[in-house]
Amino acid sequence: MSQDAVIRTSGLTKYYGKQLGIDAVNLEVKPGEIFGYLGPNGAGKTTTIRTLLDFIRPTRGAATVFDLDSRQSSVEIHRRVGYLNGELALYNNMTGEDLLRYLGNLRGGLDWKYVNALAERFQCDLPRRIQGLSLGNKQKLGLIQAFMHQPELLILDEPTNGLDPLIQHEFYDLLTETKLAGRTVFLSSHILPEVEKVCDRVGIIRQGKLVTVETIETLKSHSVRKLEIHFAANVPKDKFVTIPGVRDIDIQNNVLTCTVVGSLDALVKASAQFVVVNIVSHEPSLEEIFMTYYEGANHAK
Amino acid sequence: MLNNMFLKTLRDQRRSILYWGIGLIGMAVMMAAFYPTIKNMPSVNAYLQELPQNLKELFSMGGLTDYSSPVGYFSAELFSFMVPLLLLVFGVGFGANAIAGDEEKGTLGFLLANPVPRWRVVVDKFGVLLVSMLVLGMMFWAGMAVCVLGLNIDLSLLRLAEATFGAMLVALVFSSLAFMLGCVKGNKGMSMGIAGGLAVLTYFLNGLGGMVSALKDYRFLSPFYHYVEPNTLANGISPEHVLVLIGLTVVFFAISIPAFMRRDIAV
């Protein structure tokens, strides 16, 4: 792959009538990376994806995929992309196998060995009618149809919807293999731990605006965590208040609660002087991550 | 049946086509079975002849001269209303569903994500509309033909085919209108409502036009005028009227393609 960006959007803006979808989004997804597109529901993730695939047309700005214009070359782009929609709806009146056969024919044929291997990995019962399938089983079919032609780029909108943890794990493995094979993944999600787990870089979108694009390491170093440390006996508060990045310290009944920005290292080392019974960490919610970015922006001013 | 969009769409329609076809054949058989009885009841004919001309016009039977003749009977019972109506209901339903239905169900998204240009979706689905209509027409005609031959009814099978063809054409006008509206807006209910509503309006425009002199000059605006007026079962196809019906269908189809290519898909 020679291009320096698989997906590039410049000033991509979409209004639905007067309602804002996305506002001046500038994105660059590099070849061979797993890019996470993170944001709460209604932030504009799906709008961005639909524009890339030419289902909807930008109000302003433009997008290229493989250096091809999303509007002029949509058929060629579709040929090289595997796509999973967010609100998955499949033809109910056929079996999973027939659905894959049909979609495969639209793409000019399939490697059934690979399809069957995927179905086995995801424990997907292909001969069953789609009508009776649970949400999770439909989602598996959706994943298989996105991966089955081994596309150069995968665009996955909330791919783990309804999957049980075992299958989710299998899916994360598949993502890693895809990346190792040099292919690119663009994945939207509203679940932070998922994005942290599988992505190389993350774009955070909120109310139609791309707030930031970071590597996972940077994101984590900015991240805010709520910690509870249970000690065997009471501990003096002054041993902890001086630790950089530790805020909102409170000690009650041998339990210290605090908020930590960035690395946990100093706090853990300070705690090690005492007998620790348990450490409970609360993953920061998406909203908390956003707040750190907004606070950061405000401090800078 | 899963090789391409055309065959897949046709496959989805197979049961629907079968049931509608059976319905049409059933209607043909029933009406034909009653004919020998009606023929031997001159009083029915006399009674119908005494109906006010206006009433006959209203139900597209203005040209009815002899109810007891095969042409008169089948024109009145089948071709003036029931056959075009049934074909129209099927076609408008299919037309509205073809694009807008898939869009509302949310299945259009992953279909369009394939390397298939949008115009191809329109062409393939419209092709299925034409083929389904043709198959239904042929099923009805075949049912009629068996009855005509079996009951020894004095009716030309060619004229029967021509009249059936006319009913298909008038149904296609409204079906392709519903199809086009689905391509323009993606709203199935609206497409069906407008196309169905216009069918009713123009049906009565033609019927009322036969009795209300103020409307007479506007009858030509009704597709039903071009279907009913030539009295095809008696006289055969009238090329200029047929061309009007085909022309309307072609125009609606031609608008469908750019309309669907240009707009945002709700998915």
Side-chain angles (χ1 to χ4, degrees):
Chain A
M1 270 184 270
S2 58
Q3 72 265 30
D4 54 338
V6 176
I7 297 174
R8 179 180 287 126
T9 72
S10 46
L12 197 65
T13 303
K14 177 68 187 176
Y15 278 88
Y16 299 101
K18 279 190 172 168
Q19 201 199 334
L20 176 70
I22 49 173
D23 186 16
V25 169
N26 295 306
L27 262 184
E28 240 177 61
V29 177
K30 295 172 192 155
E33 75 174 339
I34 302 182
F35 188 94
Y37 201 38
L38 187 67
N41 296 324
K45 302 187 297 281
T46 301
T47 297
T48 312
I49 289 175
R50 285 178 183 170
T51 314
L52 292 177
L53 292 168
D54 195 39
F55 297 160
I56 57 177
R57 278 59 187 267
T59 311
R60 280 190 299 279
T64 61
V65 182
F66 311 117
D67 286 335
L68 298 166
D69 182 76
S70 68
R71 295 213 51 190
Q72 303 304 316
S73 313
S74 61
V75 174
E76 173 62 16
I77 290 171
H78 292 172
R79 195 185 311 284
R80 294 161 67 182
V81 167
Y83 166 64
L84 172 69
N85 22 349
E87 292 149 33
L88 187 63
L90 302 168
Y91 299 122
N92 280 326
N93 60 354
M94 51 194 346
T95 65
E97 193 173 340
D98 281 348
L99 176 76
L100 298 183
R101 176 162 292 124
Y102 174 49
L103 294 175
N105 287 336
L106 292 181
R107 292 189 174 275
L110 272 189
D111 175 3
W112 274 96
K113 243 189 211 160
Y114 186 66
V115 175
N116 286 325
L118 281 176
E120 204 163 310
R121 275 183 87 161
F122 287 137
Q123 297 164 22
C124 188
D125 192 6
L126 290 183
R128 272 185 61 183
R129 260 173 83 86
I130 293 172
Q131 192 141 39
L133 293 181
S134 67
L135 177 68
N137 280 324
K138 283 185 190 169
Q139 192 73 7
K140 292 177 193 173
L141 268 178
L143 284 172
I144 293 174
Q145 64 85 29
F147 279 91
M148 67 183 178
H149 52 286
Q150 297 177 271
E152 292 163 59
L153 169 65
L154 285 137
I155 297 182
L156 309 171
D157 197 355
E158 313 252 344
T160 50
N161 252 349
L163 294 183
D164 65 54
L166 215 65
I167 302 296
Q168 266 183 37
H169 195 77
E170 201 59 56
F171 167 66
Y172 296 146
D173 283 352
L174 185 61
L175 281 185
T176 313
E177 289 162 33
T178 306
K179 180 187 159 185
L180 286 176
R183 300 189 277 139
T184 313
V185 180
F186 182 87
L187 174 156
S188 92
S189 177
H190 61 271
I191 307 161
L192 183 67
E194 170 173 290
V195 169
E196 281 186 344
K197 192 178 176 118
V198 295
C199 295
D200 302 305
R201 288 196 309 145
V202 184
I204 296 182
I205 185 168
R206 189 178 195 250
Q207 292 173 356
K209 291 196 166 78
L210 190 64
V211 181
T212 181
V213 177
E214 305 270 18
T215 62
I216 289 293
E217 289 76 35
T218 320
L219 190 75
K220 277 185 176 161
S221 70
H222 286 201
S223 74
V224 176
R225 241 172 292 239
K226 286 204 171 109
L227 268 196
E228 259 176 46
I229 305 178
H230 299 242
F231 292 100
N234 227 353
V235 292
K237 194 173 176 177
D238 58 323
K239 290 273 183 193
F240 296 92
V241 283
T242 52
I243 303 171
V246 177
R247 299 189 314 220
D248 312 330
I249 295 177
D250 185 38
I251 300 175
Q252 267 174 18
N253 304 328
N254 305 346
V255 177
L256 179 147
T257 55
C258 63
T259 309
V260 187
V261 183
S263 167
L264 295 178
D265 187 60
L267 176 65
V268 169
K269 282 184 176 146
S271 308
Q273 304 166 39
F274 308 95
V275 181
V276 176
V277 178
N278 193 11
I279 299 181
V280 183
S281 163
H282 299 281
E283 282 296 339
S285 70
L286 214 47
E287 212 44 43
E288 285 168 325
I289 291 267
F290 291 135
M291 288 325 291
T292 48
Y293 275 99
Y294 281 105
E295 278 174 25
N298 288 339
H299 286 312
K301 277 174 201 169
Chain B
M1 290 302 271
L2 296 169
N3 287 327
N4 57 48
M5 235 179 322
F6 174 81
L7 289 174
K8 194 269 176 190
T9 311
L10 195 58
R11 168 195 181 276
D12 290 344
Q13 287 303 113
R14 65 195 165 182
R15 283 205 185 84
S16 176
I17 293 174
L18 182 70
Y19 297 145
W20 279 90
I22 290 173
L24 280 160
I25 291 173
M27 191 175 68
V29 169
M30 197 177 78
M31 287 305 169
F34 280 123
Y35 177 66
T37 319
I38 299 287
K39 190 172 70 174
N40 298 320
M41 292 168 66
S43 56
V44 174
N45 188 33
Y47 167 73
L48 280 170
Q49 289 305 326
E50 279 166 23
L51 282 179
Q53 184 63 19
N54 285 349
L55 199 63
K56 289 195 274 180
E57 289 283 358
L58 188 59
F59 291 100
S60 305
M61 291 185 268
L64 181 63
T65 46
D66 183 4
Y67 186 74
S68 62
S69 77
V71 169
Y73 175 80
F74 287 106
S75 287
E77 290 299 336
L78 288 176
F79 288 100
S80 67
F81 188 64
M82 283 311 285
V83 174
L85 174 79
L86 287 181
L87 292 176
L88 198 144
V89 171
F90 167 85
V92 166
F94 176 85
N97 197 44
I99 299 285
D102 265 13
E103 192 167 352
E104 285 182 4
K105 268 182 272 170
T107 51
L108 201 56
F110 78 87
L111 178 66
L112 286 177
N114 289 284
V116 178
R118 283 197 197 179
W119 61 262
R120 184 68 202 272
V121 179
V122 177
V123 170
D124 277 26
K125 297 218 173 205
F126 196 81
V128 174
L129 172 63
L130 294 182
V131 169
S132 317
M133 201 56 88
L134 193 66
V135 170
L136 286 181
M138 281 164 61
M139 285 174 86
F140 172 75
W141 178 83
M144 280 299 293
V146 169
C147 294
V148 164
L149 296 175
L151 298 170
N152 233 339
I153 298 169
D154 181 24
L155 198 60
S156 153
L157 291 185
L158 175 66
R159 290 284 178 267
L160 204 54
E162 287 174 291
T164 309
F165 182 64
M168 282 161 47
L169 288 184
V170 79
L172 271 177
V173 169
F174 295 97
S175 313
S176 54
L177 174 64
F179 184 92
M180 180 195 83
L181 292 170
C183 288
V184 172
K185 268 311 245 184
N187 183 328
K188 182 179 159 189
M190 187 203 78
S191 309
M192 245 196 262
I194 292 181
L198 271 176
V200 172
L201 271 177
T202 55
Y203 181 82
F204 284 110
L205 168 65
N206 177 51
L208 289 168
M211 53 199 230
V212 181
S213 54
L215 288 175
K216 205 172 180 70
D217 293 343
Y218 300 101
R219 282 177 88 185
F220 77 96
L221 290 173
S222 167
F224 286 98
Y225 171 76
H226 300 282
Y227 164 63
V228 172
E229 190 59 19
N231 199 358
T232 309
L233 197 57
N235 309 324
I237 273 176
S238 143
E240 61 273 23
H241 290 298
V242 162
L243 277 177
V244 171
L245 297 178
I246 292 180
L248 283 170
T249 303
V250 169
V251 166
F252 293 146
F253 169 63
I255 296 174
S256 299
I257 295 179
F260 185 59
M261 288 181 72
R262 274 192 199 143
R263 76 175 167 93
D264 287 355
I265 304 299
V267 188

